[in-house]
Amino acid sequence: MEAIILLGGPGAGKGTLSEFLKKQTDFIHVSTGDMLRAALKSGSPVGLEAKAFMEAGALVPDSVILRIIEERISQEAASARYMFDGFPRTIDQAKGLDLLFKNKSGTVKHVFNLIVPRETLLKRLTGRRVCKSCGAVYHLINIPPKKAGVCDVDGGELYQRADDSEDTILNRLEVYEKQTAPLIEFYQKQKLLRDIAAGHSAAETGAAVLDILSA
Ligand code: ADP
């Protein structure tokens, strides 16, 4: 079992990079944000537990996150390769992952640290729109759909995520700085950190990551 980790603040482009890597590699995409949104939609116990945290832009408790990750991994072959998107997000989650992988002889290969100026993050998040049915991500200015409000892929309705409102965005950025940014040092010490300048196009970010993966 192997994994790469996509690390970066909200709006850094983890989701967009994941879409790119899904087409170019055989890594299985595991996004805790997507899993939680699906749980919320279906009204499952995890969804009910996560709801208030997500709406406030706060982190869902580590125990919940580690549980859904463990469950997700148990569904795949022992030889699977994962790309974790939005996980781990705290030092305790990273330690939990280490433990889980230790038990399953897994290794983390790279941690891609997506570096984006704060101003760019804000612009990306306020302009972000998502397809209600397939989850494809757009941006009003950077990646507009062909027809306003409608998904190019399946014609679904585009909406703004509840946590992409201005107040919640500021809170999420603060949460990132306080709780997730410490992971940079954590993985630097393990020599796993790969800095990626991710403030430009999705294609450039993707190419930089592929370069490292194929080295
Ligand atoms: P973004 O990276 O744009 O903030 P995500 O889709 O990754 O979006 O996450 C949305 C929300 O889901 C977070 O604000 C948080 O409430 C919750 N969440 C997702 N992943 C985690 C995680 N690993 N630990 C705690 N909470 C999480």
Side-chain angles (χ1 to χ4, degrees):
M1 186 176 308
E2 263 179 35
I4 57 172
I5 292 170
L6 312 183
L7 186 64
K14 302 184 296 289
T16 308
L17 175 62
S18 303
E19 287 307 313
F20 176 87
L21 292 177
K22 256 172 26 186
K23 290 180 200 139
Q24 306 280 342
T25 70
D26 62 355
F27 287 99
I28 297 168
H29 180 217
V30 175
S31 156
T32 43
D34 287 351
M35 286 158 80
L36 291 170
R37 276 184 291 278
L40 214 71
K41 212 169 156 186
S42 72
S44 74
V46 166
L48 293 176
E49 220 173 325
K51 190 172 193 286
F53 296 103
M54 291 179 75
E55 281 171 355
L59 293 185
V60 172
D62 293 335
S63 56
V64 176
I65 299 294
L66 287 167
R67 211 167 64 220
I68 62 174
I69 286 286
E70 185 163 9
E71 203 180 292
R72 181 68 187 82
I73 285 179
S74 70
Q75 294 163 7
E76 302 290 340
S79 58
R81 306 207 298 162
Y82 300 93
M83 56 172 141
F84 290 124
D85 161 5
F87 169 83
R89 245 187 173 82
T90 63
I91 296 278
D92 280 343
Q93 288 181 21
K95 288 180 176 163
L97 175 65
D98 279 350
L99 202 67
L100 193 68
F101 264 32
K102 209 169 151 189
N103 292 333
K104 296 181 184 276
S105 314
T107 26
V108 175
K109 286 283 179 189
H110 305 283
V111 178
F112 294 104
N113 179 29
L114 307 185
I115 300 172
V116 178
R118 186 185 163 91
E119 280 206 13
T120 310
L121 290 180
L122 275 171
K123 282 189 199 144
R124 284 183 180 175
L125 291 166
T126 47
R128 174 158 72 183
R129 297 294 182 273
V130 184
C131 174
K132 235 176 201 160
S133 51
C134 76
V137 179
Y138 297 86
H139 187 280
L140 293 180
I141 295 153
N142 305 342
I143 321 169
K146 291 200 183 90
K147 189 173 166 212
V150 180
C151 178
D152 293 348
V153 182
D154 65 357
E157 184 192 338
L158 302 187
Y159 79 111
Q160 182 169 35
R161 263 169 52 178
D163 61 351
D164 275 348
S165 68
E166 199 114 13
D167 279 356
T168 313
I169 288 173
L170 292 178
N171 193 37
R172 282 159 63 210
L173 288 170
E174 200 179 307
V175 165
Y176 171 78
E177 285 305 329
K178 280 210 185 105
Q179 307 194 60
T180 308
L183 288 176
I184 294 173
E185 204 189 317
F186 181 87
Y187 284 121
Q188 215 159 28
K189 279 190 184 142
Q190 298 182 31
K191 305 214 183 318
L192 291 173
L193 201 76
R194 320 284 178 249
D195 282 343
I196 303 286
H200 300 290
S201 73
E204 282 169 85
T205 307
V209 169
L210 278 187
D211 261 3
I212 294 174
L213 286 176
S214 59

